[in-house]
């Protein structure tokens, strides 16, 4: 065993708290789709919202350890409800990955359910159908308003959605999905991850010619700022691309984004929502960015030479420990969220300084990883 892989005591304590709280919260949420916890209670979203996979993913993480059948039935019901979403084409976007990875792929990996494998394949087909050969990117969204043309928009978040395509190629033996994933990953390297390791949130291409037209700040403060969750998506997403392809350029990109992220963390290791904020702009934390980045750091630590592994593992652990000890809502019976102080969308003023279901999911995934509960869902 690598010396750095001793499981810290606080990780087991933290997992016990996660299990206790998810079991309690599942009594109310059941098989619905929470996003942000406002005034202590998770606000529910429709099944087509991009966050639909995180609650069932969290249920699967806890089910894997506890075999609590109620949690399993809620997770399975969430997955079934996504069947109506997948045939409602207009509302689908590139987040097919987030949604079906943590429902169908997770269930397939845990239980070998063949219907789940087929659902994941269908989602992967729709995701690869969003690929534009001009510009080599997976289109982010469909128009939000009539007449809107966002056919040239691609976003860094999609780096995480590539896992579904790698899974599809592995499970089917058909390399086309992996080809699409790698084309998009190469576009991330060329156009999203900057030399210093910070990232663009949105890159806009001419969807007819593939020419790059510009960047958009999206959920970051400005086009040239450094949205912390976007950096976390890049760290983990590029590490996943390396895991499935063995191509060093993805590992190097994951490391570059990781080094930028780590160098810009405040003392308590939990990032502000953007790393480059001018004076006077509120520096809320985004605990979800910390949790996701920690998972990416743990994956990097598993993929690099053992002389480097300890660094990434230690930094991932430091973030998770801080989230556990200083951001956890463990003694708050009036709060459904696991970890406080996430920021969903500061520029639009939505869900600021609240628990977010993806923060809770990635926190639980990171702790479960430290405890070696089993295979990654990604
Ligand atoms: N994928 C959207 C977000 O990170 O908020």
């Amino acid at each position: 065993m690598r010396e750095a892989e001793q499981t810290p005591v606080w990780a087991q304590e933290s997992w016990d708290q996660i299990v206790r709280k998810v079991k309690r919260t599942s009594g109310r949420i059941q098989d619905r789709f929470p996003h942000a916890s406002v005034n202590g209670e998770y606000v529910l979203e429709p099944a087509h919202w991009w966050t639909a996979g995180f609650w069932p993913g969290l249920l699967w993480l806890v089910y894997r350890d506890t075999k609590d059948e109620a949690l399993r039935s809620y997770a399975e019901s969430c997955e079934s409800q996504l069947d109506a979403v997948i045939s409602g084409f207009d509302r689908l976007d590139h987040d097919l990955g987030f949604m079906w990875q943590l429902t169908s792929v997770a269930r397939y990996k845990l239980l070998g359910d063949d219907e789940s494998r087929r659902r994941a394949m269908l989602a992967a087909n729709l995701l690869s159908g969003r690929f534009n050969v001009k510009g080599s990117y997976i289109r982010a969204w469909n128009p939000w308003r009539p007449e809107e043309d966002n056919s040239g928009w691609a976003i860094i978040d999609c780096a995480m959605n590539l896992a579904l395509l790698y899974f599809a190629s592995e499970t089917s033996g058909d390399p086309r999905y992996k080809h699409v994933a790698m084309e998009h990953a190469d576009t991330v390297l060329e156009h999203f991850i900057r030399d210093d390791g910070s990232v663009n949130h949105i890159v806009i291409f001419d969807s007819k010619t593939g020419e790059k037209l510009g960047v958009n700040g999206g959920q970051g403060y400005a086009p040239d700022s450094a949205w912390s969750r976007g950096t976390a998506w890049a760290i983990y997403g590029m590490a996943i691309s390396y895991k499935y392809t063995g191509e060093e350029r993805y590992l190097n990109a994951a490391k570059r984004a990781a080094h930028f992220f780590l160098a810009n963390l405040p003392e308590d290791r939990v990032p502000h929502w953007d790393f480059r904020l001018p004076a006077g702009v509120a520096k809320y934390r985004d605990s979800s960015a910390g949790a996701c980045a920690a998972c990416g750091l743990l994956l990097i630590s598993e993929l690099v030479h053992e002389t480097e592994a300890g660094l990434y593992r230690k930094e991932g652990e430091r973030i998770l420990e801080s989230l556990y000890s200083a951001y956890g809502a463990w003694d708050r019976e009036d709060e459904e969220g696991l970890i406080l102080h996430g920021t969903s969308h500061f520029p639009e003023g939505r869900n600021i300084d609240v628990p977010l279901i993806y923060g809770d999911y990635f926190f639980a995934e990171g702790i479960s990883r430290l405890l070696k509960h089993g295979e990654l869902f990604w």
Side-chain angles (χ1 to χ4, degrees):
M1 181 190 269
R2 296 176 184 193
E3 194 200 335
E5 288 185 14
Q6 304 294 335
T7 305
V9 173
W10 58 264
Q12 185 60 54
E13 287 171 14
S14 173
W15 182 253
D16 294 343
Q17 296 280 20
I18 291 166
V19 170
R20 180 185 65 76
K21 197 146 187 186
V22 168
K23 284 188 176 184
R24 178 170 73 78
T25 309
S26 68
R28 187 189 75 84
I29 296 177
Q30 301 190 354
D31 56 350
R32 296 182 289 174
F33 300 98
H35 178 196
S37 172
V38 178
N39 298 324
E41 196 166 277
Y42 260 118
V43 176
L44 304 171
E45 298 288 349
H48 64 75
W49 191 237
W50 76 278
T51 52
F54 293 107
W55 172 245
L58 182 53
L59 294 173
W60 282 125
L61 287 174
V62 177
Y63 170 79
R64 176 165 66 183
D65 179 49
T66 63
K67 301 297 178 286
D68 182 321
E69 288 301 321
L71 304 188
R72 169 182 161 150
S73 75
Y74 296 146
E76 290 179 352
S77 171
C78 287
E79 182 189 355
S80 304
Q81 292 173 65
L82 294 188
D83 289 350
V85 173
I86 208 159
S87 56
F89 179 78
D90 291 343
R91 288 187 151 173
L92 289 174
D93 58 35
H94 71 121
D95 285 326
L96 286 144
F98 279 122
M99 294 165 77
W100 272 271
Q101 193 80 29
L102 297 178
T103 52
S104 298
V105 177
R107 182 180 176 191
Y108 178 70
K109 287 190 174 190
L110 285 176
L111 303 173
D113 187 284
D114 203 54
E115 191 180 5
S116 293
R117 186 191 59 77
R118 288 194 299 274
R119 284 173 168 141
M121 285 305 300
L122 183 55
N125 274 276
L126 287 166
L127 181 56
S128 51
R130 301 186 71 83
F131 183 71
N132 189 336
V133 294
K134 299 288 187 187
S136 286
Y137 64 90
I138 292 174
R139 177 181 178 171
W141 303 293
N142 297 340
W144 296 103
R145 300 176 299 281
E147 315 303 329
E148 180 184 24
D149 179 6
N150 56 7
S151 59
W153 289 39
I155 69 175
I156 188 61
D157 321 36
C158 192
M160 290 298 292
N161 291 324
L162 305 182
L164 182 66
L165 301 178
Y166 295 123
F167 168 80
S169 275
E170 283 205 342
T171 194
S172 67
D174 182 339
R176 289 176 301 145
Y177 309 98
K178 183 176 173 182
H179 294 329
V180 169
M182 290 178 72
E183 287 291 326
H184 184 90
D186 286 334
T187 296
V188 171
L189 300 192
E190 189 176 347
H191 294 298
F192 283 82
I193 303 182
R194 305 172 186 140
D195 288 346
D196 67 357
S198 64
V199 304
N200 295 313
H201 183 192
I202 299 174
V203 178
I204 303 172
F205 299 92
D206 182 322
S207 58
K208 295 191 180 67
T209 66
E211 182 195 352
K212 179 182 170 186
L213 299 177
V215 299
N216 185 313
Q219 283 164 257
Y221 177 74
D224 58 354
S225 71
W227 181 41
S228 60
R229 194 161 61 255
T231 318
W233 296 143
I235 296 168
Y236 203 3
M238 287 297 100
I240 288 169
S241 276
Y242 176 62
K243 169 179 180 258
Y244 282 100
T245 66
E247 292 293 337
E248 294 269 341
R249 61 187 185 277
Y250 303 139
L251 176 62
N252 290 335
K255 285 180 175 176
R256 202 162 78 238
H259 298 168
F260 176 83
F261 193 95
L262 294 171
N264 283 280
L265 288 177
E267 185 109 342
D268 73 358
R269 315 310 284 166
V270 175
H272 299 108
W273 68 275
D274 194 306
F275 290 121
R276 254 180 221 139
L277 290 173
V281 177
K283 294 177 88 174
Y284 290 104
R285 302 303 173 114
D286 181 10
S287 53
S288 77
C292 175
C295 290
L297 291 165
L298 295 183
L299 181 58
I300 293 173
S301 80
E302 292 166 21
L303 300 173
V304 295
H305 189 271
E306 63 181 316
T307 52
E308 294 179 78
L311 167 80
Y312 296 102
R313 165 120 180 162
K314 182 166 68 59
E315 293 295 345
E317 282 186 10
R318 285 177 74 190
I319 295 171
L320 292 170
E321 183 175 14
S322 179
L323 290 172
Y324 169 59
S325 61
Y327 289 72
W330 313 121
D331 299 327
R332 295 259 314 267
E333 296 301 312
D334 61 340
E335 173 57 70
E336 290 186 336
L338 301 181
I339 55 168
L340 305 166
H341 307 305
T343 295
S344 167
H345 201 320
F346 184 90
E348 290 188 358
R350 284 194 278 124
N351 298 322
I352 295 167
D353 202 21
V354 293
L356 298 166
I357 194 63
Y358 33 96
D360 285 2
Y361 170 80
F362 283 109
F363 176 70
E365 181 190 296
I367 299 297
S368 171
R369 197 85 189 135
L370 292 181
L371 297 172
K372 299 187 177 25
H373 282 169
E375 195 184 355
L376 267 188
F377 292 162
W378 304 98

